[in-house]
Amino acid sequence: MSHPELSTSSLREAFGHFPQGVIAIAAEVDGARVGLAASTFVPVSLEPPLVSFCVQNTSATWPKLRELPFLGISVLGESHDEAVRTLAAKTGDRFAGLRTMSTDSGAVFIEGTSVWLESSIEQLIPAGDHTIVILRVSNITVHPDVPPIVFHRSTFRRLDA
Ligand SMILES: Cc1cc2nc3c(=O)[nH]c(=O)nc-3n(C[C@H](O)[C@H](O)[C@H](O)COP(=O)(O)O)c2cc1C
Protein backbone atom coordinates (compact mmCIF):
# COMPACT_ATOMS: atom_id res chain seq x y z
CA MET A 1 0.00 0.00 0.00
CA SER A 2 1.42 3.43 -0.85
CA HIS A 3 1.06 6.67 1.16
CA PRO A 4 1.59 9.48 -1.32
CA GLU A 5 2.27 13.06 -0.23
CA LEU A 6 -0.92 15.11 0.22
CA SER A 7 -1.06 17.25 -2.91
CA THR A 8 -3.68 18.30 -5.45
CA SER A 9 -2.50 15.58 -7.85
CA SER A 10 -2.44 12.79 -5.22
CA LEU A 11 -5.86 13.91 -3.97
CA ARG A 12 -7.25 13.99 -7.53
CA GLU A 13 -5.93 10.47 -8.04
CA ALA A 14 -7.35 9.28 -4.69
CA PHE A 15 -10.75 10.93 -5.23
CA GLY A 16 -10.84 9.32 -8.70
CA HIS A 17 -11.30 5.91 -7.10
CA PHE A 18 -14.78 6.96 -6.10
CA PRO A 19 -17.04 6.25 -9.12
CA GLN A 20 -19.30 9.11 -10.13
CA GLY A 21 -22.10 9.77 -12.57
CA VAL A 22 -21.87 12.82 -14.79
CA ILE A 23 -24.45 15.56 -15.35
CA ALA A 24 -24.78 18.44 -17.76
CA ILE A 25 -25.99 21.63 -16.13
CA ALA A 26 -27.21 24.08 -18.72
CA ALA A 27 -29.49 27.00 -19.54
CA GLU A 28 -30.08 29.69 -22.12
CA VAL A 29 -28.39 33.05 -21.65
CA ASP A 30 -29.69 35.68 -24.10
CA GLY A 31 -30.79 32.90 -26.46
CA ALA A 32 -27.46 31.04 -26.38
CA ARG A 33 -26.93 27.70 -24.64
CA VAL A 34 -24.48 27.81 -21.73
CA GLY A 35 -23.45 24.80 -19.66
CA LEU A 36 -20.81 22.49 -18.28
CA ALA A 37 -20.25 18.85 -17.36
CA ALA A 38 -20.00 17.95 -13.66
CA SER A 39 -19.30 14.69 -11.86
CA THR A 40 -19.94 16.04 -8.35
CA PHE A 41 -23.73 15.74 -8.50
CA VAL A 42 -25.36 14.40 -5.31
CA PRO A 43 -29.07 14.00 -4.52
CA VAL A 44 -29.57 15.73 -1.14
CA SER A 45 -33.18 15.85 0.10
CA LEU A 46 -36.61 14.49 -0.82
CA GLU A 47 -38.68 16.99 1.19
CA PRO A 48 -37.96 19.63 0.07
CA PRO A 49 -36.55 18.25 -3.21
CA LEU A 50 -32.88 19.27 -3.23
CA VAL A 51 -29.79 18.18 -5.17
CA SER A 52 -26.25 19.52 -5.20
CA PHE A 53 -23.08 19.75 -7.20
CA CYS A 54 -19.72 21.41 -6.61
CA VAL A 55 -18.46 24.09 -8.96
CA GLN A 56 -14.85 25.23 -9.25
CA ASN A 57 -14.40 28.80 -8.05
CA THR A 58 -12.34 29.46 -11.20
CA SER A 59 -15.19 28.52 -13.55
CA ALA A 60 -15.80 31.11 -16.24
CA THR A 61 -19.19 29.57 -17.03
CA TRP A 62 -20.71 29.42 -13.56
CA PRO A 63 -21.06 33.23 -13.11
CA LYS A 64 -23.40 33.20 -16.15
CA LEU A 65 -25.50 30.27 -14.90
CA ARG A 66 -25.62 31.53 -11.32
CA GLU A 67 -27.73 34.54 -12.34
CA LEU A 68 -30.52 32.50 -13.98
CA PRO A 69 -33.89 31.58 -12.43
CA PHE A 70 -33.84 27.99 -13.75
CA LEU A 71 -31.11 25.53 -14.69
CA GLY A 72 -31.45 22.18 -16.46
CA ILE A 73 -29.68 19.12 -15.08
CA SER A 74 -29.36 16.10 -17.40
CA VAL A 75 -27.93 12.80 -16.12
CA LEU A 76 -25.68 11.64 -18.95
CA GLY A 77 -25.88 8.16 -20.43
CA GLU A 78 -23.23 5.58 -21.31
CA SER A 79 -23.06 6.79 -24.91
CA HIS A 80 -22.11 10.31 -23.81
CA ASP A 81 -18.34 9.93 -23.25
CA GLU A 82 -17.63 12.22 -26.21
CA ALA A 83 -20.38 14.61 -25.06
CA VAL A 84 -18.81 14.94 -21.59
CA ARG A 85 -15.55 16.10 -23.14
CA THR A 86 -17.39 18.51 -25.43
CA LEU A 87 -19.41 19.89 -22.51
CA ALA A 88 -16.19 20.38 -20.54
CA ALA A 89 -14.15 21.90 -23.38
CA LYS A 90 -12.52 25.26 -22.70
CA THR A 91 -13.10 26.42 -26.28
CA GLY A 92 -15.62 25.73 -29.05
CA ASP A 93 -19.31 24.90 -29.01
CA ARG A 94 -20.04 22.92 -25.83
CA PHE A 95 -23.22 21.53 -27.42
CA ALA A 96 -21.66 20.43 -30.73
CA GLY A 97 -23.23 17.16 -31.85
CA LEU A 98 -25.82 17.22 -29.06
CA ARG A 99 -29.57 17.55 -29.42
CA THR A 100 -31.02 19.75 -26.69
CA MET A 101 -34.44 20.82 -25.45
CA SER A 102 -34.99 24.30 -24.01
CA THR A 103 -37.96 24.97 -21.76
CA ASP A 104 -39.88 28.23 -21.46
CA SER A 105 -38.13 28.71 -18.12
CA GLY A 106 -34.74 28.84 -19.89
CA ALA A 107 -33.49 25.44 -18.66
CA VAL A 108 -31.62 23.40 -21.28
CA PHE A 109 -31.68 19.59 -21.33
CA ILE A 110 -29.65 17.08 -23.34
CA GLU A 111 -31.77 14.68 -25.42
CA GLY A 112 -31.13 10.96 -24.93
CA THR A 113 -30.25 11.22 -21.24
CA SER A 114 -31.91 9.33 -18.38
CA VAL A 115 -33.14 12.08 -16.06
CA TRP A 116 -33.93 15.76 -16.48
CA LEU A 117 -34.24 17.92 -13.37
CA GLU A 118 -35.43 21.49 -13.77
CA SER A 119 -34.00 23.32 -10.79
CA SER A 120 -33.21 26.67 -9.24
CA ILE A 121 -30.43 27.72 -6.91
CA GLU A 122 -31.40 27.41 -3.23
CA GLN A 123 -28.08 27.95 -1.47
CA LEU A 124 -24.39 28.50 -2.22
CA ILE A 125 -21.89 27.16 0.32
CA PRO A 126 -18.19 28.12 0.00
CA ALA A 127 -16.02 25.00 0.29
CA GLY A 128 -12.31 25.47 -0.39
CA ASP A 129 -11.56 25.90 -4.08
CA HIS A 130 -15.15 24.89 -4.94
CA THR A 131 -18.64 26.11 -4.03
CA ILE A 132 -21.34 23.63 -3.07
CA VAL A 133 -24.44 24.57 -5.04
CA ILE A 134 -27.74 23.40 -3.54
CA LEU A 135 -30.56 23.36 -6.08
CA ARG A 136 -34.30 22.94 -5.58
CA VAL A 137 -35.93 20.64 -8.12
CA SER A 138 -39.14 21.97 -9.70
CA ASN A 139 -39.73 19.38 -12.43
CA ILE A 140 -38.58 15.82 -13.23
CA THR A 141 -38.53 13.83 -16.48
CA VAL A 142 -37.27 10.23 -16.38
CA HIS A 143 -36.27 7.99 -19.28
CA PRO A 144 -35.60 4.79 -17.30
CA ASP A 145 -34.03 2.77 -20.12
CA VAL A 146 -30.95 4.96 -20.56
CA PRO A 147 -27.99 3.42 -18.68
CA PRO A 148 -25.63 5.93 -17.00
CA ILE A 149 -22.05 6.81 -17.80
CA VAL A 150 -19.63 6.22 -14.90
CA PHE A 151 -16.52 8.38 -14.40
CA HIS A 152 -13.86 6.38 -12.57
CA ARG A 153 -10.09 6.98 -12.38
CA SER A 154 -10.19 9.49 -15.24
CA THR A 155 -11.97 6.99 -17.51
CA PHE A 156 -15.55 6.73 -18.68
CA ARG A 157 -17.04 3.33 -17.94
CA ARG A 158 -20.35 1.50 -18.30
CA LEU A 159 -22.06 -0.31 -15.44
CA ASP A 160 -21.62 -3.63 -17.27
CA ALA A 161 -17.98 -3.10 -18.31
C1 LIG B 1 -15.73 14.18 -16.17
C2 LIG B 1 -15.71 15.64 -15.80
C3 LIG B 1 -16.27 16.05 -14.60
C4 LIG B 1 -16.29 17.40 -14.22
N1 LIG B 1 -16.88 17.75 -13.05
C5 LIG B 1 -16.88 19.06 -12.68
C6 LIG B 1 -17.51 19.45 -11.48
O1 LIG B 1 -18.07 18.64 -10.75
N2 LIG B 1 -17.49 20.78 -11.15
C7 LIG B 1 -16.90 21.72 -11.96
O2 LIG B 1 -16.90 22.90 -11.61
N3 LIG B 1 -16.30 21.38 -13.13
C8 LIG B 1 -16.29 20.07 -13.51
N4 LIG B 1 -15.71 19.71 -14.69
C9 LIG B 1 -15.15 20.77 -15.54
C10 LIG B 1 -16.23 21.51 -16.34
O3 LIG B 1 -16.98 20.63 -17.14
C11 LIG B 1 -15.59 22.56 -17.29
O4 LIG B 1 -14.52 21.99 -17.95
C12 LIG B 1 -15.12 23.71 -16.45
O5 LIG B 1 -16.25 24.33 -15.94
C13 LIG B 1 -14.21 24.67 -17.23
O6 LIG B 1 -14.91 25.56 -18.00
P1 LIG B 1 -15.35 27.02 -17.49
O7 LIG B 1 -14.17 27.77 -17.00
O8 LIG B 1 -15.98 27.61 -18.71
O9 LIG B 1 -16.34 26.80 -16.38
C14 LIG B 1 -15.69 18.37 -15.08
C15 LIG B 1 -15.12 17.96 -16.30
C16 LIG B 1 -15.12 16.62 -16.65
C17 LIG B 1 -14.50 16.20 -17.95
Side-chain angles (χ1 to χ4, degrees):
M1 195 189 297
S2 73
H3 297 280
E5 291 290 313
L6 201 58
S7 66
T8 49
S9 59
S10 65
L11 281 167
R12 188 174 289 117
E13 212 281 319
F15 290 175
H17 286 262
F18 183 66
Q20 297 170 303
V22 186
I23 60 157
I25 181 152
E28 283 196 6
V29 179
D30 299 329
R33 295 171 298 182
V34 172
L36 55 88
S39 59
T40 51
F41 175 80
V42 176
V44 173
S45 164
L46 298 176
E47 186 53 61
L50 301 175
V51 298
S52 74
F53 86 108
C54 298
V55 67
Q56 302 171 64
N57 293 335
T58 53
S59 170
T61 302
W62 179 243
K64 298 176 199 162
L65 293 174
R66 191 177 53 202
E67 301 304 321
L68 302 175
F70 289 98
L71 302 175
I73 291 173
S74 304
V75 178
L76 297 172
E78 63 179 21
S79 66
H80 288 115
D81 46 346
E82 199 57 46
V84 177
R85 298 203 190 281
T86 308
L87 282 162
K90 268 288 179 191
T91 54
D93 176 6
R94 289 221 173 135
F95 298 89
L98 290 174
R99 284 175 299 117
T100 61
M101 206 281 284
S102 301
T103 65
D104 292 343
S105 70
V108 170
F109 298 102
I110 313 295
E111 301 270 6
T113 55
S114 61
V115 177
W116 294 352
L117 304 174
E118 184 190 60
S119 58
S120 46
I121 297 172
E122 177 89 358
Q123 201 181 342
L124 298 173
I125 304 168
D129 56 12
H130 281 64
T131 297
I132 302 170
V133 182
I134 309 282
L135 299 131
R136 181 183 284 255
V137 177
S138 46
N139 245 310
I140 315 174
T141 305
V142 180
H143 302 280
D145 297 334
V146 181
I149 195 165
V150 178
F151 188 55
H152 177 238
R153 301 195 72 192
S154 308
T155 301
F156 297 112
R157 303 182 195 274
R158 297 165 179 232
L159 284 182
D160 61 0

mmCIF file of all heavy atoms in Angstrom, residues 121-155:
data_model
loop_
_atom_site.group_PDB
_atom_site.id
_atom_site.type_symbol
_atom_site.label_atom_id
_atom_site.label_comp_id
_atom_site.label_asym_id
_atom_site.label_seq_id
_atom_site.Cartn_x
_atom_site.Cartn_y
_atom_site.Cartn_z
ATOM 1 N N ILE A 121 -31.432 27.679 -7.982
ATOM 2 C CA ILE A 121 -30.429 27.721 -6.906
ATOM 3 C C ILE A 121 -31.098 28.067 -5.583
ATOM 4 O O ILE A 121 -31.838 29.043 -5.465
ATOM 5 C CB ILE A 121 -29.324 28.741 -7.233
ATOM 6 C CG1 ILE A 121 -28.576 28.303 -8.492
ATOM 7 C CG2 ILE A 121 -28.339 28.869 -6.056
ATOM 8 C CD1 ILE A 121 -27.596 29.327 -9.019
ATOM 9 N N GLU A 122 -30.822 27.234 -4.571
ATOM 10 C CA GLU A 122 -31.400 27.411 -3.234
ATOM 11 C C GLU A 122 -30.362 28.014 -2.287
ATOM 12 O O GLU A 122 -30.673 28.859 -1.469
ATOM 13 C CB GLU A 122 -31.841 26.030 -2.718
ATOM 14 C CG GLU A 122 -32.400 26.011 -1.337
ATOM 15 C CD GLU A 122 -33.908 26.244 -1.331
ATOM 16 O OE1 GLU A 122 -34.507 26.456 -2.393
ATOM 17 O OE2 GLU A 122 -34.472 26.221 -0.226
ATOM 18 N N GLN A 123 -29.109 27.557 -2.435
ATOM 19 C CA GLN A 123 -28.076 27.952 -1.466
ATOM 20 C C GLN A 123 -26.702 27.750 -2.093
ATOM 21 O O GLN A 123 -26.497 26.774 -2.835
ATOM 22 C CB GLN A 123 -28.205 27.046 -0.238
ATOM 23 C CG GLN A 123 -27.600 27.588 1.027
ATOM 24 C CD GLN A 123 -27.770 26.596 2.180
ATOM 25 O OE1 GLN A 123 -28.610 25.689 2.118
ATOM 26 N NE2 GLN A 123 -26.981 26.747 3.207
ATOM 27 N N LEU A 124 -25.780 28.647 -1.776
ATOM 28 C CA LEU A 124 -24.389 28.503 -2.221
ATOM 29 C C LEU A 124 -23.513 28.422 -0.983
ATOM 30 O O LEU A 124 -23.571 29.301 -0.119
ATOM 31 C CB LEU A 124 -23.973 29.700 -3.081
ATOM 32 C CG LEU A 124 -24.752 29.895 -4.388
ATOM 33 C CD1 LEU A 124 -24.360 31.208 -5.051
ATOM 34 C CD2 LEU A 124 -24.492 28.727 -5.339
ATOM 35 N N ILE A 125 -22.706 27.370 -0.875
ATOM 36 C CA ILE A 125 -21.886 27.164 0.320
ATOM 37 C C ILE A 125 -20.417 27.136 -0.094
ATOM 38 O O ILE A 125 -19.986 26.222 -0.813
ATOM 39 C CB ILE A 125 -22.253 25.824 1.003
ATOM 40 C CG1 ILE A 125 -23.749 25.789 1.321
ATOM 41 C CG2 ILE A 125 -21.414 25.610 2.266
ATOM 42 C CD1 ILE A 125 -24.247 24.413 1.734
ATOM 43 N N PRO A 126 -19.623 28.138 0.342
ATOM 44 C CA PRO A 126 -18.195 28.122 0.002
ATOM 45 C C PRO A 126 -17.530 26.891 0.593
ATOM 46 O O PRO A 126 -17.791 26.538 1.753
ATOM 47 C CB PRO A 126 -17.649 29.401 0.645
ATOM 48 C CG PRO A 126 -18.850 30.242 0.946
ATOM 49 C CD PRO A 126 -19.981 29.296 1.174
ATOM 50 N N ALA A 127 -16.700 26.224 -0.183
ATOM 51 C CA ALA A 127 -16.019 25.004 0.290
ATOM 52 C C ALA A 127 -14.668 24.899 -0.406
ATOM 53 O O ALA A 127 -14.543 24.303 -1.473
ATOM 54 C CB ALA A 127 -16.873 23.772 0.009
ATOM 55 N N GLY A 128 -13.656 25.533 0.188
ATOM 56 C CA GLY A 128 -12.312 25.469 -0.389
ATOM 57 C C GLY A 128 -12.278 26.076 -1.778
ATOM 58 O O GLY A 128 -12.824 27.166 -2.006
ATOM 59 N N ASP A 129 -11.670 25.356 -2.723
ATOM 60 C CA ASP A 129 -11.562 25.904 -4.081
ATOM 61 C C ASP A 129 -12.828 25.652 -4.905
ATOM 62 O O ASP A 129 -12.869 25.940 -6.100
ATOM 63 C CB ASP A 129 -10.309 25.369 -4.800
ATOM 64 C CG ASP A 129 -10.244 23.854 -4.854
ATOM 65 O OD1 ASP A 129 -11.252 23.193 -4.543
ATOM 66 O OD2 ASP A 129 -9.164 23.325 -5.195
ATOM 67 N N HIS A 130 -13.857 25.091 -4.287
ATOM 68 C CA HIS A 130 -15.150 24.886 -4.936
ATOM 69 C C HIS A 130 -16.253 25.580 -4.121
ATOM 70 O O HIS A 130 -16.029 25.995 -2.986
ATOM 71 C CB HIS A 130 -15.489 23.393 -5.048
ATOM 72 C CG HIS A 130 -14.772 22.706 -6.171
ATOM 73 N ND1 HIS A 130 -13.400 22.581 -6.212
ATOM 74 C CD2 HIS A 130 -15.233 22.101 -7.298
ATOM 75 C CE1 HIS A 130 -13.049 21.936 -7.320
ATOM 76 N NE2 HIS A 130 -14.142 21.630 -7.988
ATOM 77 N N THR A 131 -17.438 25.664 -4.726
ATOM 78 C CA THR A 131 -18.645 26.108 -4.030
ATOM 79 C C THR A 131 -19.671 24.989 -4.151
ATOM 80 O O THR A 131 -19.864 24.444 -5.251
ATOM 81 C CB THR A 131 -19.190 27.402 -4.677
ATOM 82 O OG1 THR A 131 -18.215 28.432 -4.526
ATOM 83 C CG2 THR A 131 -20.505 27.836 -4.034
ATOM 84 N N ILE A 132 -20.272 24.632 -3.025
ATOM 85 C CA ILE A 132 -21.344 23.628 -3.072
ATOM 86 C C ILE A 132 -22.631 24.361 -3.452
ATOM 87 O O ILE A 132 -23.034 25.317 -2.784
ATOM 88 C CB ILE A 132 -21.515 22.934 -1.709
ATOM 89 C CG1 ILE A 132 -20.193 22.277 -1.272
ATOM 90 C CG2 ILE A 132 -22.643 21.897 -1.774
ATOM 91 C CD1 ILE A 132 -20.200 21.783 0.167
ATOM 92 N N VAL A 133 -23.219 23.935 -4.545
ATOM 93 C CA VAL A 133 -24.442 24.565 -5.043
ATOM 94 C C VAL A 133 -25.614 23.651 -4.691
ATOM 95 O O VAL A 133 -25.675 22.506 -5.135
ATOM 96 C CB VAL A 133 -24.380 24.752 -6.571
ATOM 97 C CG1 VAL A 133 -25.632 25.456 -7.071
ATOM 98 C CG2 VAL A 133 -23.116 25.500 -6.979
ATOM 99 N N ILE A 134 -26.523 24.154 -3.869
ATOM 100 C CA ILE A 134 -27.738 23.404 -3.537
ATOM 101 C C ILE A 134 -28.855 23.911 -4.449
ATOM 102 O O ILE A 134 -29.081 25.128 -4.536
ATOM 103 C CB ILE A 134 -28.162 23.619 -2.064
ATOM 104 C CG1 ILE A 134 -26.995 23.363 -1.103
ATOM 105 C CG2 ILE A 134 -29.390 22.780 -1.718
ATOM 106 C CD1 ILE A 134 -26.693 21.928 -0.835
ATOM 107 N N LEU A 135 -29.503 22.992 -5.131
ATOM 108 C CA LEU A 135 -30.564 23.360 -6.077
ATOM 109 C C LEU A 135 -31.874 22.719 -5.671
ATOM 110 O O LEU A 135 -31.896 21.563 -5.226
ATOM 111 C CB LEU A 135 -30.193 22.880 -7.485
ATOM 112 C CG LEU A 135 -28.898 23.472 -8.058
ATOM 113 C CD1 LEU A 135 -28.017 22.380 -8.622
ATOM 114 C CD2 LEU A 135 -29.211 24.497 -9.124
ATOM 115 N N ARG A 136 -32.954 23.481 -5.848
ATOM 116 C CA ARG A 136 -34.303 22.944 -5.576
ATOM 117 C C ARG A 136 -34.910 22.474 -6.895
ATOM 118 O O ARG A 136 -34.940 23.227 -7.876
ATOM 119 C CB ARG A 136 -35.184 24.018 -4.941
ATOM 120 C CG ARG A 136 -36.591 23.512 -4.622
ATOM 121 C CD ARG A 136 -37.440 24.631 -4.066
ATOM 122 N NE ARG A 136 -37.114 24.924 -2.688
ATOM 123 C CZ ARG A 136 -37.873 24.564 -1.635
ATOM 124 N NH1 ARG A 136 -38.997 23.902 -1.817
ATOM 125 N NH2 ARG A 136 -37.502 24.886 -0.421
ATOM 126 N N VAL A 137 -35.380 21.245 -6.896
ATOM 127 C CA VAL A 137 -35.934 20.644 -8.117
ATOM 128 C C VAL A 137 -37.402 21.044 -8.268
ATOM 129 O O VAL A 137 -38.197 20.900 -7.331
ATOM 130 C CB VAL A 137 -35.804 19.105 -8.055
ATOM 131 C CG1 VAL A 137 -36.445 18.456 -9.272
ATOM 132 C CG2 VAL A 137 -34.334 18.700 -7.924
ATOM 133 N N SER A 138 -37.761 21.554 -9.463
ATOM 134 C CA SER A 138 -39.144 21.970 -9.701
ATOM 135 C C SER A 138 -39.860 21.066 -10.697
ATOM 136 O O SER A 138 -41.089 21.105 -10.806
ATOM 137 C CB SER A 138 -39.177 23.419 -10.203
ATOM 138 O OG SER A 138 -38.212 23.616 -11.203
ATOM 139 N N ASN A 139 -39.125 20.263 -11.432
ATOM 140 C CA ASN A 139 -39.731 19.377 -12.433
ATOM 141 C C ASN A 139 -38.804 18.202 -12.714
ATOM 142 O O ASN A 139 -37.582 18.386 -12.768
ATOM 143 C CB ASN A 139 -39.922 20.145 -13.744
ATOM 144 C CG ASN A 139 -41.382 20.287 -14.082
ATOM 145 O OD1 ASN A 139 -42.123 19.296 -14.072
ATOM 146 N ND2 ASN A 139 -41.781 21.507 -14.380
ATOM 147 N N ILE A 140 -39.384 17.018 -12.931
ATOM 148 C CA ILE A 140 -38.582 15.819 -13.228
ATOM 149 C C ILE A 140 -39.103 15.164 -14.498
ATOM 150 O O ILE A 140 -40.320 15.033 -14.676
ATOM 151 C CB ILE A 140 -38.735 14.720 -12.145
ATOM 152 C CG1 ILE A 140 -38.659 15.276 -10.740
ATOM 153 C CG2 ILE A 140 -37.735 13.611 -12.340
ATOM 154 C CD1 ILE A 140 -38.950 14.188 -9.699
ATOM 155 N N THR A 141 -38.188 14.717 -15.357
ATOM 156 C CA THR A 141 -38.534 13.828 -16.476
ATOM 157 C C THR A 141 -37.579 12.643 -16.393
ATOM 158 O O THR A 141 -36.376 12.837 -16.208
ATOM 159 C CB THR A 141 -38.329 14.545 -17.829
ATOM 160 O OG1 THR A 141 -39.072 15.757 -17.820
ATOM 161 C CG2 THR A 141 -38.781 13.677 -18.990
ATOM 162 N N VAL A 142 -38.116 11.425 -16.501
ATOM 163 C CA VAL A 142 -37.265 10.230 -16.382
ATOM 164 C C VAL A 142 -37.434 9.352 -17.618
ATOM 165 O O VAL A 142 -38.554 9.077 -18.045
ATOM 166 C CB VAL A 142 -37.617 9.420 -15.116
ATOM 167 C CG1 VAL A 142 -36.721 8.179 -15.017
ATOM 168 C CG2 VAL A 142 -37.451 10.272 -13.860
ATOM 169 N N HIS A 143 -36.302 8.968 -18.188
ATOM 170 C CA HIS A 143 -36.266 7.989 -19.277
ATOM 171 C C HIS A 143 -35.526 6.777 -18.720
ATOM 172 O O HIS A 143 -34.298 6.705 -18.802
ATOM 173 C CB HIS A 143 -35.532 8.561 -20.496
ATOM 174 C CG HIS A 143 -36.145 9.825 -21.018
ATOM 175 N ND1 HIS A 143 -37.251 9.840 -21.827
ATOM 176 C CD2 HIS A 143 -35.821 11.120 -20.805
ATOM 177 C CE1 HIS A 143 -37.576 11.092 -22.117
ATOM 178 N NE2 HIS A 143 -36.724 11.882 -21.501
ATOM 179 N N PRO A 144 -36.243 5.821 -18.115
ATOM 180 C CA PRO A 144 -35.597 4.793 -17.296
ATOM 181 C C PRO A 144 -34.700 3.834 -18.059
ATOM 182 O O PRO A 144 -33.870 3.161 -17.451
ATOM 183 C CB PRO A 144 -36.785 4.044 -16.674
ATOM 184 C CG PRO A 144 -37.965 4.389 -17.509
ATOM 185 C CD PRO A 144 -37.696 5.703 -18.152
ATOM 186 N N ASP A 145 -34.810 3.770 -19.383
ATOM 187 C CA ASP A 145 -34.032 2.770 -20.122
ATOM 188 C C ASP A 145 -32.635 3.235 -20.516
ATOM 189 O O ASP A 145 -31.897 2.475 -21.149
ATOM 190 C CB ASP A 145 -34.801 2.343 -21.383
ATOM 191 C CG ASP A 145 -36.107 1.666 -21.012
ATOM 192 O OD1 ASP A 145 -36.182 1.097 -19.901
ATOM 193 O OD2 ASP A 145 -37.054 1.740 -21.822
ATOM 194 N N VAL A 146 -32.278 4.477 -20.173
ATOM 195 C CA VAL A 146 -30.950 4.963 -20.562
ATOM 196 C C VAL A 146 -29.942 4.634 -19.464
ATOM 197 O O VAL A 146 -30.020 5.173 -18.363
ATOM 198 C CB VAL A 146 -30.963 6.496 -20.800
ATOM 199 C CG1 VAL A 146 -29.583 6.973 -21.230
ATOM 200 C CG2 VAL A 146 -32.016 6.872 -21.830
ATOM 201 N N PRO A 147 -28.975 3.735 -19.714
ATOM 202 C CA PRO A 147 -27.989 3.417 -18.683
ATOM 203 C C PRO A 147 -26.989 4.572 -18.499
ATOM 204 O O PRO A 147 -26.683 5.270 -19.468
ATOM 205 C CB PRO A 147 -27.281 2.159 -19.203
ATOM 206 C CG PRO A 147 -27.762 1.940 -20.586
ATOM 207 C CD PRO A 147 -28.776 2.980 -20.941
ATOM 208 N N PRO A 148 -26.481 4.763 -17.280
ATOM 209 C CA PRO A 148 -25.630 5.926 -16.999
ATOM 210 C C PRO A 148 -24.177 5.733 -17.435
ATOM 211 O O PRO A 148 -23.692 4.609 -17.542
ATOM 212 C CB PRO A 148 -25.690 6.025 -15.476
ATOM 213 C CG PRO A 148 -25.832 4.599 -15.038
ATOM 214 C CD PRO A 148 -26.699 3.939 -16.076
ATOM 215 N N ILE A 149 -23.497 6.850 -17.633
ATOM 216 C CA ILE A 149 -22.046 6.811 -17.796
ATOM 217 C C ILE A 149 -21.430 6.896 -16.399
ATOM 218 O O ILE A 149 -22.001 7.533 -15.503
ATOM 219 C CB ILE A 149 -21.564 7.969 -18.700
ATOM 220 C CG1 ILE A 149 -20.129 7.707 -19.175
ATOM 221 C CG2 ILE A 149 -21.674 9.316 -18.006
ATOM 222 C CD1 ILE A 149 -19.726 8.601 -20.332
ATOM 223 N N VAL A 150 -20.299 6.222 -16.201
ATOM 224 C CA VAL A 150 -19.629 6.225 -14.899
ATOM 225 C C VAL A 150 -18.204 6.745 -15.089
ATOM 226 O O VAL A 150 -17.449 6.213 -15.913
ATOM 227 C CB VAL A 150 -19.586 4.806 -14.284
ATOM 228 C CG1 VAL A 150 -18.848 4.825 -12.943
ATOM 229 C CG2 VAL A 150 -21.001 4.263 -14.117
ATOM 230 N N PHE A 151 -17.866 7.796 -14.345
ATOM 231 C CA PHE A 151 -16.521 8.379 -14.399
ATOM 232 C C PHE A 151 -15.710 7.800 -13.245
ATOM 233 O O PHE A 151 -16.074 7.950 -12.076
ATOM 234 C CB PHE A 151 -16.632 9.902 -14.286
ATOM 235 C CG PHE A 151 -15.353 10.640 -14.513
ATOM 236 C CD1 PHE A 151 -14.615 10.460 -15.676
ATOM 237 C CD2 PHE A 151 -14.887 11.535 -13.564
ATOM 238 C CE1 PHE A 151 -13.434 11.168 -15.898
ATOM 239 C CE2 PHE A 151 -13.708 12.245 -13.770
ATOM 240 C CZ PHE A 151 -12.988 12.060 -14.947
ATOM 241 N N HIS A 152 -14.641 7.083 -13.588
ATOM 242 C CA HIS A 152 -13.863 6.380 -12.569
ATOM 243 C C HIS A 152 -12.395 6.384 -12.966
ATOM 244 O O HIS A 152 -12.048 5.912 -14.050
ATOM 245 C CB HIS A 152 -14.378 4.931 -12.443
ATOM 246 C CG HIS A 152 -13.608 4.091 -11.478
ATOM 247 N ND1 HIS A 152 -12.982 2.923 -11.832
ATOM 248 C CD2 HIS A 152 -13.367 4.269 -10.157
ATOM 249 C CE1 HIS A 152 -12.383 2.396 -10.784
ATOM 250 N NE2 HIS A 152 -12.601 3.192 -9.754
ATOM 251 N N ARG A 153 -11.537 6.934 -12.122
ATOM 252 C CA ARG A 153 -10.092 6.978 -12.378
ATOM 253 C C ARG A 153 -9.795 7.577 -13.757
ATOM 254 O O ARG A 153 -9.080 6.988 -14.565
ATOM 255 C CB ARG A 153 -9.459 5.587 -12.219
ATOM 256 C CG ARG A 153 -9.677 5.013 -10.807
ATOM 257 C CD ARG A 153 -8.781 3.844 -10.547
ATOM 258 N NE ARG A 153 -7.403 4.298 -10.380
ATOM 259 C CZ ARG A 153 -6.349 3.475 -10.361
ATOM 260 N NH1 ARG A 153 -6.528 2.177 -10.494
ATOM 261 N NH2 ARG A 153 -5.138 3.959 -10.196
ATOM 262 N N SER A 154 -10.420 8.713 -14.006
ATOM 263 C CA SER A 154 -10.194 9.489 -15.239
ATOM 264 C C SER A 154 -10.679 8.795 -16.507
ATOM 265 O O SER A 154 -10.314 9.192 -17.617
ATOM 266 C CB SER A 154 -8.710 9.842 -15.416
ATOM 267 O OG SER A 154 -8.216 10.446 -14.267
ATOM 268 N N THR A 155 -11.475 7.735 -16.347
ATOM 269 C CA THR A 155 -11.967 6.986 -17.511
ATOM 270 C C THR A 155 -13.495 6.912 -17.446
ATOM 271 O O THR A 155 -14.064 6.840 -16.360
ATOM 272 C CB THR A 155 -11.407 5.538 -17.468
ATOM 273 O OG1 THR A 155 -9.989 5.625 -17.462
ATOM 274 C CG2 THR A 155 -11.847 4.724 -18.663
#
